[in-house]
Amino acid sequence: MLKKITLKTVLITAVLAASATAGGHTEIEQRIGAMKAVVGEMRILGGMAQGKVDYDNLAALSALETMRNAVATAQPLFGTPPVDGEETRAMAAIWEDGSEFDAGITTLLAALDTAIAAEPADLASFGPLFGAVAGTCKACHENYRAPEE
Amino acid sequence: MRLRNKAFFAALLGGAAFWFLTQPDNLDTALVAGLIGDPAKGAQVFAIGGCASCHYAKDAKGEARLMLGGGQAFATPFGTFIAPNISSDPDLGIGGWTNYEFANAVLRGISPSGQHYYPAFPFGSYTRMTVSDVVDLKAYMDTLPAVAQVNIAHELPLPFRLRRGLGLWKMLFLDDRKVAETIEMRGQYLVEGPGHCAECHSPRNMLGGMDANRWLAGAPNPSGKGRIPNITPHSQGIADWSVDDLVYYFETGFTPEFDTAGSTMVAVIENLGVLPVEDRLAIARYLKSIPALPDASK
């Protein structure tokens, strides 16, 4: 029995370790992967906020939690500036402005924590919580992300 | 000797022709006479015109975005332009200007002292605005704070430092007629006039004139990296966007894929959010009705 549990733990740890690098090998590829995961959850949440999809409180909560994990994964991956030639839309201002960009991510995490803790039961309570999360995206993308090529 | 006389005469004639062609073409004073601005209406014109976005201090937030002291730098292929002070300060800003002087600046790109402005100031679009909107705008801007700020000069290479030549630019490119004829009159007015969307979303020719044949088909980002997107109803533009998608984007900054607006579009979205919903709808309908064009190559 004990052996089984240990095996299970080892397996889960291995899967987690693998998924942590699933976005790619370099730090930039990993953080692009994490940010893409954020957008994926935003699509689920945004569809509900827009009324395109019926509100589902369990699905919303799960999307918020997944998004929180993805944001928390991305945050430390913005540690070093890209070297020339690396494909990224992250602008140099991220590293020139010191901790301002990092504070932006922390604001997003706080908005997500608030939304998760509230466990919004219906669309009316979800709307403003989603708005607070969504509002933080533009704030960073204005100064820190270059337009697409 | 005779040859020298001829050359002198030719130069004189050329100079006279240049002087004649580059004269400021002032607005008719009768168009402004008797108009009284409505500051409440002007606040809406101010939002769609995006005046603040270029004229507030870099990184200004909240209330500071109504302090129009200028100073932001704009890199272009012609040099770097520094936004001037357009606050209500009577000496350093435009508080002392008459309605006529203001309208002549916005609609014709001419300063109160008769100098041409550079088209970094988007009078190439504003020229399609109504005089009454411009006078309302002035009434609103007079209510904003005076900012006592002096800015550095534009940083331009020599040929572009001479403003007189801009008269030729205006002869070639300044046109107050509508560009694309559509049934969406309000949307067309907002996009082509005060909204000045084409200033960034249309490519420019070598002389910096907007290319009407590639209207809103996207362009290189003048400040370097990336492209300004195609916003015509082409598959490379907004073909997949519904009118509702566009309105949602104007309100929240989210694309149908839930990517977000970035860069200078963030300030535009903030301005669009202030407008009545009918105006956002009108802009969306206009964009869905213009000719679909593939991405502009340059």
Side-chain angles (χ1 to χ4, degrees):
Chain A
M1 185 69 182
L2 188 69
K3 240 182 200 168
K4 242 186 187 169
I5 288 171
T6 317
L7 187 65
K8 226 179 178 177
T9 313
V10 168
L11 271 177
I12 288 170
T13 313
V15 168
L16 280 177
S19 66
T21 55
H25 298 291
T26 69
E27 196 171 73
I28 288 182
E29 285 166 347
Q30 284 176 39
R31 83 174 179 237
I32 289 173
M35 292 310 281
K36 279 193 174 148
V38 172
V39 181
E41 301 311 314
M42 272 305 289
R43 246 173 251 153
I44 297 171
L45 296 165
M48 290 191 226
Q50 274 179 293
K52 283 185 176 170
V53 182
D54 284 343
Y55 183 71
D56 174 337
N57 60 335
L58 291 179
L61 195 61
S62 137
L64 286 167
E65 281 167 347
T66 310
M67 190 170 156
R68 199 212 178 278
N69 289 340
V71 174
T73 304
Q75 190 172 28
L77 294 172
F78 280 99
T80 42
V83 294
D84 279 347
E86 278 184 306
E87 278 293 312
T88 170
R89 289 166 68 195
M91 289 168 71
I94 292 177
W95 296 278
E96 288 160 9
D97 289 0
S99 55
E100 196 164 317
F101 172 80
D102 198 57
I105 300 192
T106 304
T107 308
L108 169 57
L109 284 172
L112 282 163
D113 286 337
T114 306
I116 291 165
E119 297 188 17
D122 51 25
L123 188 57
S125 48
F126 171 73
L129 293 164
F130 172 76
V133 171
T136 63
C137 302
K138 297 202 286 290
C140 276
H141 286 175
E142 178 172 19
N143 295 326
Y144 300 119
R145 189 175 65 160
E148 243 165 328
E149 279 302 327
Chain B
M1 187 62 186
R2 207 184 256 173
L3 192 69
R4 257 171 71 187
N5 274 345
K6 254 186 187 167
F8 175 73
F9 189 65
L12 199 70
L13 200 70
F18 177 80
W19 196 252
F20 178 75
L21 291 173
T22 57
Q23 287 186 108
D25 176 20
N26 288 307
L27 193 71
D28 181 356
T29 49
L31 292 172
V32 185
L35 290 180
I36 295 167
D38 175 344
K41 283 190 189 161
Q44 303 276 306
V45 181
F46 183 75
I48 182 69
C51 314
S53 308
C54 286
H55 289 276
Y56 53 58
K58 188 174 177 284
D59 299 329
K61 296 273 179 275
E63 285 290 301
R65 292 195 160 186
L66 296 175
M67 309 281 281
L68 307 178
Q72 283 189 60
F74 299 91
T76 77
F78 303 97
T80 298
F81 294 94
I82 311 295
N85 184 338
I86 58 163
S87 78
S88 61
D89 189 290
D91 302 314
L92 301 171
I94 63 168
W97 293 15
T98 63
N99 279 344
Y100 175 77
E101 286 170 331
F102 183 70
N104 203 33
V106 172
L107 299 172
R108 296 295 171 93
I110 301 168
S111 79
S113 64
Q115 278 199 318
H116 292 302
Y117 286 123
Y118 291 100
F121 170 33
F123 57 80
S125 298
Y126 292 163
T127 189
R128 297 188 190 92
M129 289 170 72
T130 62
V131 178
S132 65
D133 265 4
V134 175
V135 171
D136 289 344
L137 174 61
K138 175 73 164 78
Y140 173 71
M141 288 172 71
D142 284 343
T143 69
L144 298 178
V147 183
Q149 178 177 322
V150 178
N151 295 300
I152 57 168
H154 301 315
E155 293 153 9
L156 307 174
L158 185 61
F160 304 126
R161 246 179 274 162
L162 306 169
R163 288 172 183 263
R164 187 76 191 193
L166 289 163
L168 295 175
W169 188 94
K170 287 180 174 176
M171 218 171 71
L172 292 170
F173 305 120
L174 192 63
D175 187 350
D176 59 7
R177 286 172 305 176
K178 291 194 170 73
V179 182
E181 274 308 323
T182 71
I183 50 159
E184 184 48 78
M185 298 295 290
R186 176 67 180 164
Q188 173 158 29
Y189 175 70
L190 294 171
V191 169
E192 295 188 3
H196 67 280
C197 308
E199 299 278 343
C200 290
H201 287 279
S202 295
R204 290 172 184 272
N205 58 28
M206 268 175 59
L207 297 171
M210 285 180 279
D211 184 350
N213 296 318
R214 318 292 300 149
W215 192 246
L216 302 177
N221 183 1
S223 49
K225 228 175 159 186
R227 286 184 64 83
I228 312 289
N230 180 340
I231 53 170
T232 75
H234 187 273
S235 60
Q236 291 174 319
I238 55 162
D240 294 342
W241 296 49
S242 68
V243 166
D244 284 350
D245 287 338
L246 285 165
V247 172
Y248 188 77
Y249 178 72
F250 298 153
E251 281 165 3
T252 65
F254 284 106
T255 70
E257 293 296 299
F258 271 87
D259 196 354
T260 62
S263 179
T264 45
M265 193 62 198
V266 172
V268 177
I269 301 264
E270 263 181 36
N271 296 331
L272 291 173
V274 177
L275 299 180
V277 65
E278 304 83 58
D279 279 353
R280 287 189 291 270
L281 202 57
I283 293 170
R285 288 194 183 129
Y286 167 76
L287 292 177
K288 290 297 280 186
S289 70
I290 58 174
L293 297 170
D295 277 351
S297 60
K298 313 192 277 181

